[in-house]
Amino acid sequence: MNSREVRPPSGPRPSLFLERQSYRRRRLSDAARLLPFLGAALLAIPLLWPGDQSGSEDVPLSSAIFYIFTCWAALIIASLLFGFAAKRLGAAEDTEPETDRWQR
């Protein structure tokens, strides 16, 4: 055999795509990383509401406080949901053996 000849690897080739569980876990962690930016944007919205300088009617302070606490509670619930989903995906991965099926 010539040293320049390249032999194909023996056995089936590994998949180019990620497994579903790994893909879902990565997308879930990406969404969880964006949650603080979403929270900052939602909490900054009251800064855009009209104030004393404009001629329009002001937003009552009670409405602004209610909006801020509603956003705060929604962010806590969203982070809890992300945590439960990550725990469920992690538990599903622990039950499956971590063997490289393509190397068999």
Side-chain angles (χ1 to χ4, degrees), residues 73-103:
L75 289 170
I76 290 172
I77 291 170
S79 65
L80 281 173
L81 292 176
F82 281 129
F84 287 140
K87 188 175 182 180
R88 190 183 76 209
L89 284 175
E93 280 185 2
D94 289 343
T95 59
E96 296 177 4
E98 293 188 23
T99 58
D100 294 331
R101 296 180 189 136
W102 61 275
Q103 291 181 348

Short mmCIF file of all heavy atoms in Angstrom, two decimals, residues 73-103:
data_model
loop_
_atom_site.label_atom_id
_atom_site.label_comp_id
_atom_site.label_asym_id
_atom_site.label_seq_id
_atom_site.Cartn_x
_atom_site.Cartn_y
_atom_site.Cartn_z
N ALA A 73 -42.14 39.08 38.74
CA ALA A 73 -42.73 37.77 39.01
C ALA A 73 -42.69 36.88 37.76
O ALA A 73 -42.41 35.68 37.86
CB ALA A 73 -44.17 37.94 39.49
N ALA A 74 -42.94 37.45 36.59
CA ALA A 74 -42.89 36.67 35.36
C ALA A 74 -41.47 36.17 35.08
O ALA A 74 -41.30 35.03 34.62
CB ALA A 74 -43.39 37.51 34.18
N LEU A 75 -40.47 36.97 35.38
CA LEU A 75 -39.08 36.52 35.20
C LEU A 75 -38.73 35.40 36.17
O LEU A 75 -38.01 34.46 35.80
CB LEU A 75 -38.13 37.70 35.37
CG LEU A 75 -38.14 38.73 34.25
CD1 LEU A 75 -37.34 39.96 34.65
CD2 LEU A 75 -37.58 38.13 32.98
N ILE A 76 -39.22 35.47 37.39
CA ILE A 76 -38.97 34.40 38.35
C ILE A 76 -39.64 33.10 37.88
O ILE A 76 -39.03 32.03 37.91
CB ILE A 76 -39.48 34.81 39.75
CG1 ILE A 76 -38.60 35.91 40.32
CG2 ILE A 76 -39.51 33.61 40.69
CD1 ILE A 76 -39.11 36.50 41.60
N ILE A 77 -40.86 33.19 37.42
CA ILE A 77 -41.57 32.00 36.93
C ILE A 77 -40.87 31.43 35.71
O ILE A 77 -40.71 30.20 35.58
CB ILE A 77 -43.04 32.34 36.65
CG1 ILE A 77 -43.77 32.61 37.96
CG2 ILE A 77 -43.73 31.21 35.89
CD1 ILE A 77 -45.15 33.17 37.81
N ALA A 78 -40.42 32.29 34.79
CA ALA A 78 -39.71 31.82 33.60
C ALA A 78 -38.41 31.13 33.97
O ALA A 78 -38.07 30.07 33.41
CB ALA A 78 -39.45 32.98 32.65
N SER A 79 -37.68 31.67 34.94
CA SER A 79 -36.43 31.03 35.35
C SER A 79 -36.70 29.70 36.05
O SER A 79 -35.93 28.75 35.89
CB SER A 79 -35.61 31.96 36.24
OG SER A 79 -36.27 32.21 37.44
N LEU A 80 -37.79 29.60 36.82
CA LEU A 80 -38.17 28.32 37.42
C LEU A 80 -38.50 27.29 36.35
O LEU A 80 -38.10 26.12 36.45
CB LEU A 80 -39.36 28.50 38.35
CG LEU A 80 -39.07 29.07 39.73
CD1 LEU A 80 -40.37 29.34 40.47
CD2 LEU A 80 -38.21 28.11 40.51
N LEU A 81 -39.23 27.70 35.32
CA LEU A 81 -39.56 26.79 34.23
C LEU A 81 -38.31 26.31 33.49
O LEU A 81 -38.19 25.13 33.15
CB LEU A 81 -40.54 27.45 33.26
CG LEU A 81 -41.94 27.71 33.80
CD1 LEU A 81 -42.77 28.47 32.77
CD2 LEU A 81 -42.61 26.41 34.19
N PHE A 82 -37.37 27.23 33.26
CA PHE A 82 -36.11 26.84 32.63
C PHE A 82 -35.34 25.86 33.52
O PHE A 82 -34.76 24.89 33.04
CB PHE A 82 -35.23 28.06 32.34
CG PHE A 82 -35.62 28.80 31.11
CD1 PHE A 82 -35.81 30.17 31.16
CD2 PHE A 82 -35.79 28.17 29.90
CE1 PHE A 82 -36.16 30.88 30.03
CE2 PHE A 82 -36.15 28.86 28.76
CZ PHE A 82 -36.34 30.23 28.83
N GLY A 83 -35.36 26.09 34.81
CA GLY A 83 -34.67 25.19 35.74
C GLY A 83 -35.29 23.81 35.76
O GLY A 83 -34.57 22.80 35.74
N PHE A 84 -36.62 23.73 35.81
CA PHE A 84 -37.28 22.43 35.80
C PHE A 84 -37.04 21.70 34.48
O PHE A 84 -36.83 20.49 34.47
CB PHE A 84 -38.79 22.57 36.05
CG PHE A 84 -39.13 22.92 37.47
CD1 PHE A 84 -40.13 23.84 37.73
CD2 PHE A 84 -38.46 22.36 38.53
CE1 PHE A 84 -40.47 24.18 39.03
CE2 PHE A 84 -38.78 22.69 39.84
CZ PHE A 84 -39.79 23.60 40.09
N ALA A 85 -37.08 22.42 33.37
CA ALA A 85 -36.83 21.79 32.08
C ALA A 85 -35.40 21.29 31.97
O ALA A 85 -35.16 20.19 31.46
CB ALA A 85 -37.13 22.78 30.95
N ALA A 86 -34.45 22.06 32.48
CA ALA A 86 -33.04 21.62 32.44
C ALA A 86 -32.84 20.40 33.33
O ALA A 86 -32.10 19.48 32.97
CB ALA A 86 -32.13 22.75 32.89
N LYS A 87 -33.51 20.38 34.48
CA LYS A 87 -33.40 19.23 35.37
C LYS A 87 -34.00 17.99 34.72
O LYS A 87 -33.44 16.89 34.83
CB LYS A 87 -34.11 19.54 36.69
CG LYS A 87 -33.92 18.52 37.76
CD LYS A 87 -34.55 18.97 39.06
CE LYS A 87 -34.31 17.97 40.16
NZ LYS A 87 -34.93 18.41 41.42
N ARG A 88 -35.12 18.15 34.04
CA ARG A 88 -35.76 17.02 33.36
C ARG A 88 -34.89 16.49 32.23
O ARG A 88 -34.73 15.29 32.06
CB ARG A 88 -37.13 17.43 32.83
CG ARG A 88 -37.94 16.23 32.34
CD ARG A 88 -39.24 16.65 31.76
NE ARG A 88 -38.94 17.19 30.43
CZ ARG A 88 -39.65 18.12 29.82
NH1 ARG A 88 -40.67 18.65 30.40
NH2 ARG A 88 -39.32 18.55 28.63
N LEU A 89 -34.28 17.39 31.46
CA LEU A 89 -33.39 16.96 30.38
C LEU A 89 -32.15 16.28 30.94
O LEU A 89 -31.65 15.32 30.36
CB LEU A 89 -32.99 18.14 29.49
CG LEU A 89 -34.06 18.65 28.53
CD1 LEU A 89 -33.56 19.89 27.80
CD2 LEU A 89 -34.44 17.58 27.54
N GLY A 90 -31.63 16.80 32.04
CA GLY A 90 -30.47 16.18 32.67
C GLY A 90 -30.78 14.80 33.20
O GLY A 90 -29.96 13.89 33.12
N ALA A 91 -31.97 14.62 33.77
CA ALA A 91 -32.37 13.31 34.29
C ALA A 91 -32.56 12.32 33.14
O ALA A 91 -32.22 11.14 33.28
CB ALA A 91 -33.65 13.43 35.09
N ALA A 92 -33.07 12.78 32.01
CA ALA A 92 -33.24 11.90 30.85
C ALA A 92 -31.89 11.46 30.30
O ALA A 92 -31.74 10.33 29.85
CB ALA A 92 -34.06 12.60 29.78
N GLU A 93 -30.90 12.33 30.35
CA GLU A 93 -29.58 11.97 29.87
C GLU A 93 -28.89 10.99 30.80
O GLU A 93 -28.12 10.16 30.38
CB GLU A 93 -28.71 13.21 29.70
CG GLU A 93 -28.98 13.97 28.44
CD GLU A 93 -28.02 15.11 28.25
OE1 GLU A 93 -27.11 15.28 29.09
OE2 GLU A 93 -28.16 15.83 27.27
N ASP A 94 -29.15 11.10 32.11
CA ASP A 94 -28.52 10.19 33.07
C ASP A 94 -29.03 8.77 32.94
O ASP A 94 -28.31 7.82 33.25
CB ASP A 94 -28.75 10.68 34.50
CG ASP A 94 -27.94 11.94 34.81
OD1 ASP A 94 -26.98 12.22 34.06
OD2 ASP A 94 -28.28 12.63 35.78
N THR A 95 -30.26 8.60 32.49
CA THR A 95 -30.81 7.25 32.36
C THR A 95 -30.26 6.54 31.14
O THR A 95 -30.22 5.32 31.11
CB THR A 95 -32.35 7.29 32.28
OG1 THR A 95 -32.74 8.08 31.15
CG2 THR A 95 -32.94 7.86 33.55
N GLU A 96 -29.86 7.27 30.10
CA GLU A 96 -29.29 6.66 28.91
C GLU A 96 -27.80 6.46 29.10
O GLU A 96 -27.10 7.31 29.61
CB GLU A 96 -29.53 7.57 27.69
CG GLU A 96 -30.98 7.77 27.35
CD GLU A 96 -31.16 8.72 26.18
OE1 GLU A 96 -30.16 9.15 25.60
OE2 GLU A 96 -32.31 9.03 25.86
N PRO A 97 -27.28 5.30 28.67
CA PRO A 97 -25.83 5.10 28.78
C PRO A 97 -25.08 6.01 27.83
O PRO A 97 -25.52 6.26 26.71
CB PRO A 97 -25.65 3.63 28.40
CG PRO A 97 -26.85 3.29 27.57
CD PRO A 97 -27.97 4.17 28.07
N GLU A 98 -23.97 6.53 28.32
CA GLU A 98 -23.19 7.45 27.50
C GLU A 98 -22.11 6.69 26.73
O GLU A 98 -20.93 6.82 26.97
CB GLU A 98 -22.55 8.51 28.38
CG GLU A 98 -23.55 9.44 29.00
CD GLU A 98 -22.88 10.59 29.71
OE1 GLU A 98 -21.73 10.92 29.38
OE2 GLU A 98 -23.50 11.16 30.61
N THR A 99 -22.55 5.88 25.80
CA THR A 99 -21.61 5.14 24.96
C THR A 99 -21.63 5.72 23.57
O THR A 99 -22.64 6.24 23.11
CB THR A 99 -21.99 3.66 24.89
OG1 THR A 99 -23.32 3.55 24.38
CG2 THR A 99 -21.94 3.01 26.26
N ASP A 100 -20.54 5.63 22.91
CA ASP A 100 -20.46 6.08 21.53
C ASP A 100 -20.96 4.95 20.64
O ASP A 100 -20.24 4.00 20.39
CB ASP A 100 -19.05 6.50 21.17
CG ASP A 100 -18.60 7.72 21.94
OD1 ASP A 100 -19.46 8.54 22.29
OD2 ASP A 100 -17.41 7.85 22.15
N ARG A 101 -22.17 5.08 20.22
CA ARG A 101 -22.79 4.00 19.42
C ARG A 101 -22.09 3.81 18.08
O ARG A 101 -22.07 2.75 17.54
CB ARG A 101 -24.26 4.31 19.21
CG ARG A 101 -25.03 4.32 20.48
CD ARG A 101 -26.49 4.62 20.25
NE ARG A 101 -27.14 4.82 21.54
CZ ARG A 101 -27.98 5.78 21.79
NH1 ARG A 101 -28.30 6.62 20.86
NH2 ARG A 101 -28.52 5.89 22.97
N TRP A 102 -21.52 4.85 17.55
CA TRP A 102 -20.90 4.75 16.23
C TRP A 102 -19.57 4.03 16.29
O TRP A 102 -19.03 3.62 15.27
CB TRP A 102 -20.74 6.12 15.61
CG TRP A 102 -19.86 7.05 16.38
CD1 TRP A 102 -20.21 7.85 17.41
CD2 TRP A 102 -18.47 7.24 16.19
NE1 TRP A 102 -19.13 8.54 17.88
CE2 TRP A 102 -18.04 8.18 17.14
CE3 TRP A 102 -17.51 6.71 15.31
CZ2 TRP A 102 -16.72 8.60 17.23
CZ3 TRP A 102 -16.21 7.15 15.40
CH2 TRP A 102 -15.83 8.09 16.36
N GLN A 103 -18.99 3.84 17.46
CA GLN A 103 -17.70 3.15 17.55
C GLN A 103 -17.85 1.66 17.74
O GLN A 103 -16.86 0.96 17.76
CB GLN A 103 -16.88 3.72 18.72
CG GLN A 103 -16.42 5.13 18.45
CD GLN A 103 -15.58 5.66 19.60
OE1 GLN A 103 -15.54 5.08 20.67
NE2 GLN A 103 -14.92 6.78 19.38
#
